[in-house]
């Protein structure tokens, strides 16, 4: 018998949206999806929810601006694309959220900020203040300064894990991860037509990781493995995570009404 979701009472919620949900295959903005996301999150704030948005897409948007079809491999090029894309991404968010009267803010993080007690306290105080004001913090990794050579010091690695780190740090009740897949399957649905969606996972083990083969689009950095790592963090903190299809972000309303959508990661 499945675990009752009981998500209606979740007050502090982190929503993570991937590059594939924000942009088209050519790297240009998916304005319909961004508008639905802005409408949905603004509506949740109006209901009294505290919402944090962890948004990928800076490098993908930068690629679209320069009409690049392949993600560059060099760090300086990726950082330059992030610098281009982040400003464009925030400009579109500002425009779309303002349509619904919702105030937003930008929070760019590197790993060391949350590792050191003094800076961590400052960041968490900032989150608490913004949420108390009804402002949505839009979080991304500060890609222009986080580099692979200093991976263990500054870089989170991907926004899937960043979203779980933020969710556990601010003591969020729920992490909603919107992706280009409807949830977690027993095998890769892109390869196997008989793959079945698993609606509930209470424990992540070696078999779970073995089922998580393959990766997402060429615009993002995360695959199913990074989503499982994020889910592990949430389970370790005794929190819940939902993995669901992000093509229509308004499904968050249904998720919070306990509809059987996506995959729920939660301890029994």
């Amino acid at each position: 018998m499945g675990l009752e979701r009981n998500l209606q009472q979740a007050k502090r919620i982190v929503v993570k949206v991937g590059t594939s949900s924000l942009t088209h295959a050519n790297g240009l903005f998916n304005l319909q999806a961004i508008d639905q996301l802005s409408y949905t999150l603004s509506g949740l704030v109006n209901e009294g929810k505290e919402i944090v948005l962890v948004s990928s897409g800076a490098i993908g948007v930068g690629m679209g601006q320069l009409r690049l079809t392949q993600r560059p491999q060099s760090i300086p090029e990726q950082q330059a694309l992030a610098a281009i894309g982040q400003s464009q991404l925030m400009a579109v968010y500002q425009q779309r959220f303002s349509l619904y009267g919702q105030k937003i803010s930008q929070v760019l993080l590197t790993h060391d900020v949350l590792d050191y007690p003094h800076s961590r306290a400052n960041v968490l105080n900032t989150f608490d203040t913004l949420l108390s004001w009804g402002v949505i913090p839009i979080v991304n990794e500060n890609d222009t300064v986080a580099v692979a050579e200093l991976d263990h010091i500054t870089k989170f690695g991907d926004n899937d894990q960043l979203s779980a780190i933020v969710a556990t740090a601010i003591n969020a009740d729920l992490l909603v991860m919107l992706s280009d897949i409807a949830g977690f399957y027993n095998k890769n649905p892109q390869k196997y037509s008989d793959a079945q969606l698993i609606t509930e996972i209470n424990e992540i083990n070696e078999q779970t990781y073995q089922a998580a083969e393959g990766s997402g689009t060429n615009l993002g950095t995360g695959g199913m493995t990074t989503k499982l790592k994020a889910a592990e963090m949430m389970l370790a903190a005794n929190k819940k995570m939902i993995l669901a299809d992000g093509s229509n972000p308004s499904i968050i309303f249904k998720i919070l009404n306990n509809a059987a959508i996506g995959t729920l990661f939660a301890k029994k």
Side-chain angles (χ1 to χ4, degrees), residues 76-250:
E77 288 178 305
Q78 291 185 29
Q79 290 175 318
L81 287 173
I84 295 169
Q86 187 65 30
S87 62
Q88 293 290 321
L89 187 61
M90 288 304 298
V92 171
Y93 275 137
Q94 184 65 55
Q95 179 195 53
R96 295 292 158 164
F97 274 102
S98 67
L99 291 175
Y100 307 107
Q102 177 59 51
K103 293 180 175 61
I104 62 171
S105 60
Q106 177 176 253
V107 179
L108 296 177
L109 296 175
T110 52
H111 216 308
D112 56 320
V113 170
L114 291 176
D115 283 343
Y116 292 102
H118 184 68
S119 57
R120 178 186 178 91
N122 288 337
V123 169
L124 297 185
N125 288 338
T126 299
F127 274 116
D128 285 339
T129 302
L130 290 169
L131 294 173
S132 72
W133 288 346
V135 177
I136 296 178
I138 299 181
V139 182
N140 197 355
E141 183 165 9
N142 193 350
D143 287 316
T144 58
V145 299
V147 295
E149 286 90 345
L150 300 177
D151 188 67
H152 64 292
I153 299 176
T154 66
K155 194 165 178 61
F156 293 102
D158 62 83
N159 277 348
D160 292 336
Q161 294 180 77
L162 172 60
S163 65
I165 291 169
V166 169
T168 54
I170 68 172
N171 197 28
D173 303 305
L174 175 68
L175 169 59
V176 178
M177 189 172 293
L178 300 180
S179 184
D180 56 358
I181 193 168
F184 187 83
Y185 288 78
N186 62 340
K187 49 187 170 181
N188 191 337
Q190 296 176 347
K191 293 183 178 180
Y192 305 101
S193 59
D194 61 342
Q196 296 182 340
L197 177 69
I198 301 175
T199 59
E200 177 187 319
I201 293 179
N202 309 123
E203 179 185 6
I204 296 173
N205 51 37
E206 185 177 346
Q207 287 182 327
T208 318
Y209 276 104
Q210 287 176 351
E213 58 181 281
S215 60
T217 66
N218 69 335
L219 295 178
T221 59
M224 188 57 68
T225 297
T226 64
K227 291 166 180 55
L228 286 182
K229 289 179 179 178
E232 271 196 296
M233 292 184 207
M234 296 300 291
L235 291 177
N238 201 27
K239 304 292 184 181
K240 296 178 179 179
M241 180 181 122
I242 293 279
L243 174 62
D245 182 5
S247 60
N248 183 358
S250 63

Side-chain angles (χ1 to χ4, degrees), residues 11 13 15 41 44-45 49-53 131 135-137:
K11 178 175 177 60
I13 302 166
V15 175
L41 300 189
L44 292 177
V45 173
K49 307 290 188 184
E50 297 178 341
I51 303 296
V52 175
L53 173 61
L131 294 173
V135 177
I136 296 178

